[in-house]
Amino acid sequence: MAEVPIEHGLLLAAVLFLLGLIGVMVRRNIIFILLCLEIMLNAAGLAFIVAGSRWGQPDGQVMFLFILTVTAAEVSVGLALVLHLHHRFKTLDADAMSGMKG
Amino acid sequence: MPELLRYLLVILGVVLAPLTIAAGLTWGERRLLALFQDRYGPNRVGPAGVLQVLADMIKILTKEDWVPPFADRPVFVLAPAIIIIATYLSFAVIVFAPGIAVAELNIGLLFFLAMSSLSVYSVALAGWASNSKYALLGSLRSIGQMLSYEVFMGLSLMGVVVMAGTFDLGAIVRAQAGLWYIVPQFIGFFIFFIAGLAETRRIPFDLPEAESELVAGFHTEYSGMKFAMFFLGEYVAITLFAAMLTVLFLGGWHGPGSQSTLVALGWFLLKTLALIAVFILIRASLPRLRYDQLMEFGWKVMLPLSLVNLLVTGAVVLWRG
Amino acid sequence: MTIVFYLSAAVAVIATVLVITRLNAVHALLHLIVSLLAIAVIFFTLGAPFVAALEVIIYAGAIMVLFVFVIMMLNLGPHAAEAERRWLDPAIWVGPGILALILAGEVGYLILRGAAGTTGAAIVGPQTVGVSLFTTYMLGVELASLVLLAGLVGAYHLGRRRGAGEDGEGERTNG
Amino acid sequence: MYSLIWLVPIVPFAGFLLLAFAGRYLPRRAVAIIGPGAVGLSAAVMLLISGQFLAAPPAGYAYEQTLWSWIATGGLEVGFTLYLDPLSVVMGCVITVVGFLIHVYATAYMAEDEGYSKFFAYMNLFVGAMLLLVLGQNLLVLYLGWEGVGLCSYLLIGFWYKKPENGAAAMKAFIVTRIGDVALLIGLFLLVVQFGTLDIPAILAAAPGAWAVGAPAAVAAALLLLGGAVGKSAQLPLQTWLPDAMAGPTPVSALIHAATMVTAGVYLIARLHALFALAPGALLLVGIIGAATLLLAAFSALAQHDLKRILAYSTISQLGYMFLALGVGAWTAALFHFMTHAFFKALLFLGAGAIIHSLRDEQNIFRMGGLRRRLPAVYWTFLAGALALAAAPLITAGFYSKDLILFAAWVSPVGNRWLWGAGLLGAFLTALYTFRMVFLVFHGPERTAPHGRPGPAMTVPLMILALLSLLGGFVETPADLGGVHLFSSFLGHALPGLAAHGSPALEAALQLLSTVAVLGGIALAYQLYLRRREATARWLARPAPDAARRLLLAGWGFDWLYDRLFVRPFVWLATVNKDDSVDAFFRGLARASLLLHGALSRAQTGNLRWYAVGFALGVMALLAIVVFR
């Protein structure tokens, strides 16, 4: 068992999350944006696991399972949308798809 | 340090045994196929052509290891390695006989599933990195097929997990001391067997490589040692599935006779080899499916069947307390 | 075992950095898989083997494969990487980088403000998680299944070929 | 036996449902059986129950049946309860019997109408609602029936909805009575607040203890209830809807606007007599309204030339008599007159319907004449009804009931000579306009030739009603003419009797005076409209009488007055406020939010990555708040 201080686990989650956030802000390719979203979601899951591990309780893992579920649903719909958008705009540039605005 | 020595011996055995069996299969399959199809097969090199394995090896090793210029080089190289690594890692959790295992994990079964799902990447990346039409189409097919069949492959094993109450492969084998799970879990066995065929991309599920349509599918551009790795990977995977079937449904090392480790290992080997023979027999007797038939069979027949199996198993286990 | 944690953490961070900087989508994806596998190892070391296995089976084995599948369907070759190079002007990293640094400072401050103990108190096996899942979090499971169903329906609907009229897809693909 | 009381309102409702939903698919013959059959069954049950009520009355002369609990909240509990006492027995019997006869009559009268099943559906619904009104044990059930009959009245007045003026008449009736209904509803709220219950017996029992005589709350409650009664019973100042209501089919006029619904106000006041006894001022107002209405309406009736409008004004006038009786505390007399009036007014309307029917929808009495020989059955029955209406002495029911009212107006402690005088003048006018109508329609030269004669489905109800109009009065006769007191002794169990009794000599004198007035009226009619008709016409053509005639024809110009007083100012106000001034505020809100929205929507660039930056900034700000707090 890795007796790691909880702060280290949480910091790792935060770093991963922020890397994902940077990716979302920087990348223009929708595929990359989705990948970065995955990173962020996974980082959130990591934070849950770390917290659950701190108390030796299953709740953190349960939360991770829920995140996994949400991710699966998000990815299936998201990728279907990507296919659709690529078909329509002939590009994956997120900036090119700014038609739906206020 | 006899304990450490024994451990190293086991590791060595686990590394060598599947490789030996797989290599032997290159010869064995051809011989068996020839038998089923009423012809001779390799019989020139050595007694009964056994040394054919050696001849093949020499040929492959001396071939030029060529990477197409249009390929994505790092990925192209990585792809064949993944399948060997993933399947080999699975052997780490298999319990061959009491105490004979690299790691008797409490999530051994999940580990096996994780590794088999990773082997998809091998096919996918190979097809993508080749940067060629046939390879791409072949790997697209194989991804669809393997993703689909993985779903109920996992589900079909859950019946066993429910009955044994654990993911630990050793515990599962021990739980079959009285009755092999092939009897109460026959549907699970059947489904897992078919899923195994699909996961190893054997006939009748060999669409990804379908020679007649896609030349050779995802490994069209591969040659030499890399091709050999795919080739070998397939046989290792067959061996792995036969071993998993033995562990999960055929009682693993259990069998009549003395309880010594060697007898147990012998039983295990016997069951595994018999299953491999069945795999080859199926290749000899069934035609290839059409892609839509394959998908429909997977989602509309096998998935519901495995769900019903899980439901009934769960209900029975609950009912019996 | 703590060394495993820190090693994996380093691998995860490096791999993730590579993910967000790669030009080739498949390479990025491979790095992400490495990152996920590293995190799976971290889960294992933190006493959550069940989730570690699921991370590999579902995250790496299914969700990421979907990405590969889509990338392959879109056939993102060298020209896509070229476009990425054009889009990824070095200057573009500055703003988000500063923002992330500020956020990192804030989060780090919040996390490090108080000592909270160590992880890995015990291994929480699949059975415990399952019991918790189907008792305390029953409603959550139901909702999650609903979300999945919605995702299924949505993906099916989006993936279906539309009839002619939307943007001319109908003429080409009638099968 | 009493437990069957729920059948009485339910059967017509069932008939309504059947006809409303399946009527389209039923043959006319089936409709003609279901419609009257439902009311007939109800009448049979009602009569059986009444028979038992007479033979073996329940304890305390009242029977309650709670069908289910309707509302049970906090302090208020209202059950769906039916109540049987002498008052509701009398009302119920009259409604079901007269209703049944009118239904039978209508099967022939409406025979050629396309909305045959619809008509009977509405009629059944009306009878059911009316029965609910009189059988309700609490004011909520009563109010349900009250609104139900109002609805049916609206539906039936506008039954021939294809003519716009019929629809207008229906709306007028509905809206005018609504004024009264609102007053009634407020009155009910007041009673709930005061007594915490809507059960009529409980209120009647509690009121004398809770309120002193003349207490403001009592007066307010009585006035509000009176408002409702005035609206429903077409009394001053809400009488204007009734003449227009004649737009409906004649059976409707007979049933709703003569015999039953319009008496709901009378019933309400009689039912809640204890409240009015606590408010002498309101009671006096009831009497004054009654007297004024009966005179105004009688004068108006004199000038009408439409047969049904004459009868309509006559109805208003006779209802005025009932209010007069109520106003002097002669509850029994009012109910007695209600009963006899139901008989003879239904008879007159049905007779008028028969005439109109055979004259192909001719309603102007000046284009009629000499129908005595062509329609003998109608003539004789109509004559019986006319005599009863004019209160011809000794032989008619109307005489006994009207005489009782006049006597009560003289001797009652709350009555006075003026009210009596108004009643007497009214009796004279009644005789005059009644026989003006009779002589013009049935005597003299023939002007329009009738087509065929009414069949038995029309004449048999006429004859039964004629018999009832002539003989119905003998259940209650004055002391000097037999002294029968069946009716008042029966009702005495539910309503207090008249406090005072005059001497026999006084009674005889009053009877003589009214007899003189009635006979004088008939004789004057004979002179004016049969013997010297041309002279009358010539005199009427002069400017002053003509102006008076036109004023009376228009019902004293109340419609004109209300138009000027209420309708036009309201329409003017609505026109001025076309762009609702209150709306300006909300429109401003909408515009402001639109502006704000426009500003916000600028932030929505459609650029996904900017949104991500926005999220990140937001998170940063939130965390900063946590950090630097």
Side-chain angles (χ1 to χ4, degrees):
Chain A
M1 269 317 83
E3 300 271 336
V4 193
I6 185 171
E7 293 86 355
H8 294 190
L10 290 177
L11 276 179
L12 174 64
V15 167
L16 291 177
F17 186 89
L18 289 172
L19 284 173
L21 185 61
I22 292 176
V24 170
M25 289 189 285
V26 166
R27 305 304 296 240
R28 282 169 74 173
N29 189 323
I30 305 186
I31 298 260
F32 277 94
I33 292 177
L34 278 177
L35 280 180
C36 294
L37 281 180
E38 293 310 306
I39 296 171
M40 289 162 76
L41 279 166
N42 200 46
L46 175 62
F48 272 115
I49 296 292
V50 168
S53 169
R54 162 69 180 84
W55 305 105
Q57 291 296 318
D59 304 60
Q61 298 192 40
V62 169
M63 285 304 150
F64 181 81
L65 290 184
F66 288 152
I67 290 179
L68 205 61
T69 318
V70 172
T71 311
E74 174 250 332
V75 165
S76 58
V77 175
L79 287 177
L81 275 173
V82 167
L83 284 180
H84 221 67
L85 291 172
H86 186 257
H87 205 91
R88 204 184 170 107
F89 294 99
K90 310 290 177 222
T91 175
L92 285 175
D93 186 0
D95 289 7
M97 302 164 197
S98 57
M100 271 175 63
K101 60 186 173 199
Chain B
M1 285 227 179
E3 189 60 31
L4 185 65
L5 197 68
R6 187 168 157 276
Y7 193 60
L8 285 175
L9 262 176
V10 168
I11 290 178
L12 197 68
V14 169
V15 171
L16 285 183
L19 202 63
T20 317
I21 292 175
L25 270 180
T26 56
W27 166 80
E29 173 159 38
R30 277 182 276 181
R31 285 296 287 190
L32 276 173
L33 276 178
L35 182 69
F36 298 140
Q37 293 163 350
D38 200 13
R39 53 189 171 83
Y40 289 120
N43 59 357
R44 290 282 171 265
V45 193
V50 170
L51 293 180
Q52 182 71 35
V53 180
L54 213 64
D56 283 347
M57 225 180 274
I58 293 165
K59 175 193 158 201
I60 279 175
L61 284 174
T62 52
K63 274 203 159 185
E64 182 189 0
D65 193 0
W66 190 69
V67 177
F70 46 80
D72 188 323
R73 198 180 167 89
V75 180
F76 189 84
V77 174
L78 184 65
I82 289 177
I83 192 164
I84 292 286
I85 293 169
T87 36
Y88 249 100
L89 279 177
S90 284
F91 278 102
V93 292
I94 290 180
V95 184
F96 299 96
I100 307 293
V102 177
E104 216 182 304
L105 274 183
N106 61 348
I107 52 157
L109 190 54
L110 288 175
F111 186 83
F112 160 72
L113 289 175
M115 287 308 123
S116 81
S117 68
L118 281 186
S119 63
V120 182
Y121 284 108
S122 169
V123 177
L125 296 175
W128 183 81
S130 300
N131 209 356
S132 121
K133 277 196 191 68
Y134 293 123
L136 191 71
L137 286 175
S139 74
L140 272 178
R141 275 187 181 185
S142 77
I143 295 173
Q145 170 182 334
M146 292 174 84
L147 274 187
S148 305
Y149 278 68
E150 231 169 56
V151 173
F152 58 81
M153 180 174 88
L155 276 177
S156 69
L157 298 182
M158 290 308 125
V160 172
V161 173
V162 166
M163 292 190 72
T166 175
F167 287 113
D168 186 335
L169 291 179
I172 289 175
V173 175
R174 277 189 289 280
Q176 298 178 72
L179 182 68
W180 295 357
Y181 281 154
I182 188 171
V183 180
Q185 281 296 316
F186 181 74
I187 298 173
F189 172 77
F190 173 71
I191 297 168
F192 183 66
F193 189 85
I194 289 177
L197 283 177
E199 285 292 307
T200 50
R201 303 173 299 284
R202 300 277 299 179
I203 283 179
F205 300 107
D206 67 339
L207 290 155
E209 27 200 297
E211 289 92 339
S212 47
E213 321 162 24
L214 293 171
V215 190
F218 61 90
H219 52 56
T220 304
E221 307 293 341
Y222 282 87
S223 63
M225 198 54 220
K226 295 199 192 64
F227 175 76
M229 280 165 92
F230 279 120
F231 198 66
L232 216 62
E234 186 178 321
Y235 287 119
V236 173
I238 291 170
T239 315
L240 173 64
F241 269 93
M244 281 309 288
L245 278 165
T246 307
V247 166
L248 293 171
F249 295 100
L250 295 180
W253 64 77
H254 289 301
S258 84
Q259 295 296 312
S260 76
T261 307
L262 269 182
V263 175
L265 267 178
W267 277 116
F268 191 94
L269 202 64
L270 190 67
K271 290 172 187 173
T272 309
L273 287 176
L275 280 169
I276 292 172
V278 175
F279 267 75
I280 294 168
L281 174 60
I282 283 175
R283 175 176 174 186
S285 44
L286 288 179
R288 184 181 298 144
L289 286 173
R290 235 174 38 225
Y291 190 65
D292 59 322
Q293 289 172 334
L294 174 114
M295 286 310 227
E296 220 168 88
F297 183 67
W299 287 107
K300 292 188 183 167
V301 179
M302 303 307 266
L303 182 64
L305 202 62
S306 60
L307 283 174
V308 168
N309 178 45
L310 177 57
L311 198 73
V312 172
T313 308
V316 169
V317 167
L318 274 183
W319 177 62
R320 291 170 59 181
Chain C
M1 275 289 256
T2 47
I3 188 73
V4 178
F5 174 87
Y6 290 110
L7 264 177
S8 308
V11 170
V13 171
I14 293 167
T16 307
V17 169
L18 288 173
V19 171
I20 62 172
T21 50
R22 283 313 83 182
L23 299 178
N24 190 316
V26 171
H27 293 179
L29 203 77
L30 283 172
H31 290 301
L32 181 54
I33 291 163
V34 170
S35 163
L36 290 177
L37 292 178
I39 289 173
V41 172
I42 289 176
F43 287 168
F44 196 82
T45 64
L46 289 180
F50 181 56
V51 166
L54 283 187
E55 172 99 352
V56 179
I57 295 175
I58 294 176
Y59 241 120
I63 296 177
M64 289 304 129
V65 174
L66 269 185
F67 273 97
V68 178
F69 195 74
V70 169
I71 291 170
M72 284 167 75
M73 274 182 80
L74 299 180
N75 203 4
L76 298 178
H79 61 280
E82 193 49 44
E84 288 290 328
R85 194 189 312 283
R86 257 188 293 111
W87 289 341
L88 281 184
D89 181 17
I92 207 171
W93 292 93
V94 177
I98 293 170
L99 199 57
L101 272 180
I102 297 172
L103 269 173
E106 286 177 347
V107 173
Y109 171 77
L110 284 177
I111 289 174
L112 296 174
R113 206 158 49 167
T118 56
T119 59
I123 296 178
V124 181
Q127 207 158 13
T128 324
V129 176
V131 168
S132 179
L133 204 56
F134 285 100
T135 51
T136 321
Y137 294 99
M138 194 62 213
L139 191 66
V141 171
E142 297 294 331
L143 288 176
S145 64
L146 221 66
V147 168
L148 278 179
L149 181 66
L152 181 71
V153 172
Y156 173 77
H157 180 76
L158 287 169
R160 213 175 33 157
R161 297 289 181 190
R162 301 275 169 79
E166 211 206 354
D167 48 16
E169 289 172 85
E171 297 104 275
R172 281 199 294 113
T173 50
N174 275 333
Chain D
M1 193 74 204
Y2 292 126
S3 56
L4 289 179
I5 186 73
W6 60 274
L7 271 174
V8 175
I10 277 299
V11 173
F13 273 127
F16 158 69
L17 288 177
L18 190 62
L19 289 173
F21 290 106
R24 235 180 310 166
Y25 312 107
L26 291 173
R28 283 182 171 243
R29 180 173 285 278
V31 173
I33 290 169
I34 293 170
V39 182
L41 192 61
S42 176
V45 175
M46 190 70 217
L47 287 176
L48 276 173
I49 290 172
S50 308
Q52 183 169 15
F53 203 96
L54 288 171
Y61 275 89
Y63 173 79
E64 275 186 26
Q65 184 183 35
T66 302
L67 297 181
W68 67 83
S69 177
W70 189 2
I71 297 171
T73 60
L76 182 64
E77 248 180 88
V78 182
F80 207 96
T81 308
L82 300 179
Y83 185 70
L84 206 61
D85 73 341
L87 182 56
S88 48
V89 164
V90 169
M91 295 290 294
C93 284
V94 171
I95 290 160
T96 51
V97 170
V98 174
F100 173 62
L101 291 175
I102 293 173
H103 271 75
V104 171
Y105 172 91
T107 57
Y109 187 87
M110 302 297 288
E112 271 129 53
D113 199 277
E114 52 187 317
Y116 199 59
S117 65
K118 190 174 75 166
F119 179 80
F120 281 105
Y122 291 167
M123 290 287 268
N124 276 358
L125 179 62
F126 167 76
V127 172
M130 189 70 200
L131 287 168
L132 215 54
L133 197 166
V134 297
L135 290 175
Q137 181 256 3
N138 55 55
L139 286 166
L140 199 61
V141 177
L142 183 147
Y143 190 73
L144 183 70
W146 185 276
E147 292 294 352
V149 296
L151 169 71
C152 290
S153 169
Y154 167 79
L155 291 173
L156 285 165
I157 293 169
F159 185 74
W160 288 316
Y161 57 89
K162 283 176 185 160
K163 276 168 81 179
E165 59 262 37
N166 290 354
M171 277 202 280
K172 183 176 179 186
F174 199 67
I175 292 165
V176 172
T177 53
R178 185 116 323 256
I179 298 169
D181 293 350
V182 170
L184 174 61
L185 196 58
I186 298 171
L188 297 194
F189 291 152
L190 185 65
L191 290 177
V192 171
V193 169
Q194 290 286 333
F195 297 105
T197 178
L198 282 169
D199 291 1
I200 294 168
I203 291 176
L204 293 186
W211 287 333
V213 173
V219 174
L223 285 178
L224 286 167
L225 294 174
L226 176 62
V230 161
K232 211 48 140 192
S233 291
Q235 298 296 298
L236 270 178
L238 298 177
Q239 86 287 22
T240 56
W241 64 271
L242 187 58
D244 286 352
M246 295 303 126
T250 306
V252 173
S253 310
L255 179 60
I256 299 184
H257 305 123
T260 55
M261 184 190 87
V262 289
T263 58
V266 178
Y267 168 78
L268 180 71
I269 295 177
R271 179 53 97 195
L272 298 170
H273 57 85
L275 290 179
F276 284 89
L278 293 175
L283 200 57
L284 182 64
L285 186 65
V286 173
I288 292 169
I289 285 177
T293 309
L294 87 88
L295 283 180
L296 287 175
F299 273 117
S300 284
L302 265 182
Q304 303 298 319
H305 46 65
D306 183 317
L307 185 54
K308 284 180 73 180
R309 283 183 88 90
I310 297 174
L311 292 172
Y313 278 110
S314 146
T315 301
I316 298 174
S317 168
Q318 298 302 310
L319 288 167
Y321 271 109
M322 294 177 214
F323 269 65
L324 176 60
L326 295 172
V328 299
W331 319 104
T332 317
L335 262 290
F336 188 34
H337 196 58
F338 150 73
M339 186 177 80
T340 59
H341 173 256
F343 294 149
F344 63 68
K345 189 50 64 66
L347 168 61
L348 286 172
F349 262 112
L350 295 186
I355 294 163
I356 293 164
H357 207 56
S358 61
L359 292 184
R360 295 271 158 95
D361 294 336
E362 180 54 63
Q363 300 202 6
N364 191 333
I365 53 173
F366 289 101
R367 297 212 195 101
M368 301 174 187
L371 292 176
R372 183 165 42 123
R373 274 175 298 279
R374 304 294 299 267
L375 302 170
V378 177
Y379 172 62
W380 289 110
T381 51
F382 197 87
L383 187 63
L387 285 170
L389 172 59
L394 301 180
I395 54 164
T396 61
F399 170 72
Y400 294 104
S401 57
K402 199 174 285 182
D403 193 61
L404 198 59
I405 293 173
L406 290 176
F407 177 64
W410 182 281
V411 301
S412 165
V414 289
N416 59 46
R417 306 288 180 272
W418 291 103
L419 293 179
W420 175 83
L424 192 67
L425 180 57
F428 169 73
L429 289 170
T430 307
L432 182 59
Y433 69 69
T434 308
F435 276 88
R436 166 178 176 264
M437 179 170 67
V438 170
F439 290 139
L440 283 174
V441 171
F442 288 102
H443 296 263
E446 184 176 307
R447 289 184 180 80
T448 310
H451 301 268
R453 291 186 179 181
M458 289 168 101
T459 49
V460 169
L462 286 178
M463 288 168 188
I464 294 171
L465 286 169
L467 270 179
L468 286 171
S469 308
L470 294 177
L471 305 178
F474 294 119
V475 295
E476 178 81 21
T477 58
D480 55 339
L481 292 171
V484 183
H485 293 297
L486 287 174
F487 193 78
S488 56
S489 63
F490 178 59
L491 273 180
H493 297 293
L495 299 167
L498 195 57
H501 283 284
S503 67
L506 175 68
E507 200 168 353
L510 294 180
Q511 280 163 12
L512 206 63
L513 274 173
S514 69
T515 304
V516 167
V518 168
L519 290 180
I522 295 175
L524 188 60
Y526 177 72
Q527 286 291 330
L528 286 176
Y529 295 102
L530 207 56
R531 295 224 20 219
R532 304 183 184 166
R533 201 169 153 184
E534 278 72 34
T536 313
R538 250 179 284 123
W539 180 76
L540 273 176
R542 287 200 222 153
D546 188 51
R549 186 186 65 82
R550 269 194 273 143
L551 178 64
L552 293 180
L553 183 63
W556 297 86
F558 272 100
D559 279 334
W560 178 86
L561 187 68
Y562 289 166
D563 186 51
R564 289 293 146 94
L565 264 181
F566 302 113
V567 179
R568 295 223 180 154
F570 185 78
V571 170
W572 174 80
L573 209 65
T575 321
V576 167
N577 196 23
K578 196 165 58 186
D579 304 313
D580 196 343
S581 54
V582 181
D583 260 9
F585 172 68
F586 296 103
R587 228 174 276 132
L589 270 186
R591 200 164 296 142
S593 73
L594 209 65
L595 273 172
L596 213 64
H597 164 77
L600 279 177
S601 76
R602 259 165 222 289
Q604 212 170 356
T605 56
N607 190 330
L608 193 65
R609 296 181 305 139
W610 277 112
Y611 298 165
V613 172
F615 294 153
L617 285 172
V619 171
M620 198 182 79
L622 282 177
L623 282 181
I625 290 171
V626 177
V627 169
F628 298 110
R629 191 169 40 126

